[in-house]
Every structure is written in structure tokens, then in C-alpha cells.
Amino acid sequence: MSTSDQDQAVDTPIPVPKAGPEAVAGTDSEAADGAAGARKLTPRQARRLRVVLSSVGMAAMAVVLALRIASRSSVLVVGVYGLALILCGIVIELSRNGRTRLGSWLLAFGLVAAIGSDWLLIP
């Protein structure tokens, strides 16, 4: 899928398949969604949200890296948090290219892995 294909219908909400008794009964889906207060994100909004979350994660990892280097300078500290910073940059690029779900999973698992390896590997 090219960039021009992604930009054509970016403001239409992502459809959610109906399942359950309300789909069979034929109730109005917008009234049901409005009552629950659920909002659907457009693909463009989802991409922007992932970019913002990745940027916040990148800033947080940079602050933690600076604090950890100030208290204990180690190549392992730089390696763990450097990889986390690179991961956040990769997720930003994935989100810009429309791979938001992959970016979300990668960001979640990567940041948990960085924090876990900091806790397990670095004394």
C-alpha cells in the first residue's frame, strides 16, 4: 500500500464488526455507541496518538538514561536505554507509515523489556 492509498480515506472511522444480540435485533449502532461513550479513532488519529506516545516514551527513556548515567556510568546502562530510544524511533516511523498496531505492540513489549532488563541486569 502506497502513501497515496493511505491518505485517501483517513477520516472515516474504522468499522467495528457487530456481534451479540444487538446486532441481531437491529438496534441503531450509533445510539448504542453514544450511550456507552465510546469514540472510534480514525486511522489518522490513531497514527498521531502512537507518534505522541512514542515521543513521550522516548523523552522518558532519555531522562532515565541521563539519571542512570549520572548515578552509575556503565556500558550496559547506555546499551539498554539506547536500544529503548532506538525502539521508540522505530515505532514513530512505523506509525507514520500506517503500521499502528504493530508499533503499539512493539512499543509496549520493548519498553517493558527495557525496564525489566534494567531491573535484572544492571546492579
Side-chain angles (χ1 to χ4, degrees):
M1 178 181 280
S2 67
T3 306
S4 62
D5 293 337
Q6 293 175 0
D7 293 334
Q8 286 179 354
V10 295
D11 293 330
T12 57
I14 300 171
V16 177
K18 289 289 184 179
E22 64 274 356
V24 176
T27 58
D28 189 277
S29 64
E30 289 184 18
D33 288 342
R39 285 185 38 192
K40 297 176 185 163
L41 293 176
T42 64
R44 179 175 284 167
Q45 290 171 334
R47 285 194 300 266
R48 286 183 183 164
L49 178 65
R50 272 33 168 238
V51 168
V52 167
L53 289 175
S54 297
S55 300
V56 168
M58 186 179 277
M61 288 297 139
V63 168
V64 171
L65 175 64
L67 292 173
R68 293 288 288 182
I69 288 177
S71 67
R72 176 179 305 126
S73 63
S74 168
V75 174
L76 195 56
V77 170
V78 174
V80 166
Y81 288 104
L83 287 175
L85 287 169
I86 291 170
L87 175 77
C88 289
I90 290 171
V91 170
I92 289 171
E93 280 302 310
L94 285 172
S95 296
R96 288 182 59 218
N97 292 324
R99 308 298 297 174
T100 55
R101 277 185 242 145
L102 175 64
S104 297
W105 285 106
L106 191 62
L107 182 67
F109 284 125
L111 293 181
V112 167
I115 293 170
S117 62
D118 178 25
W119 182 66
L120 289 173
L121 298 176
I122 303 170

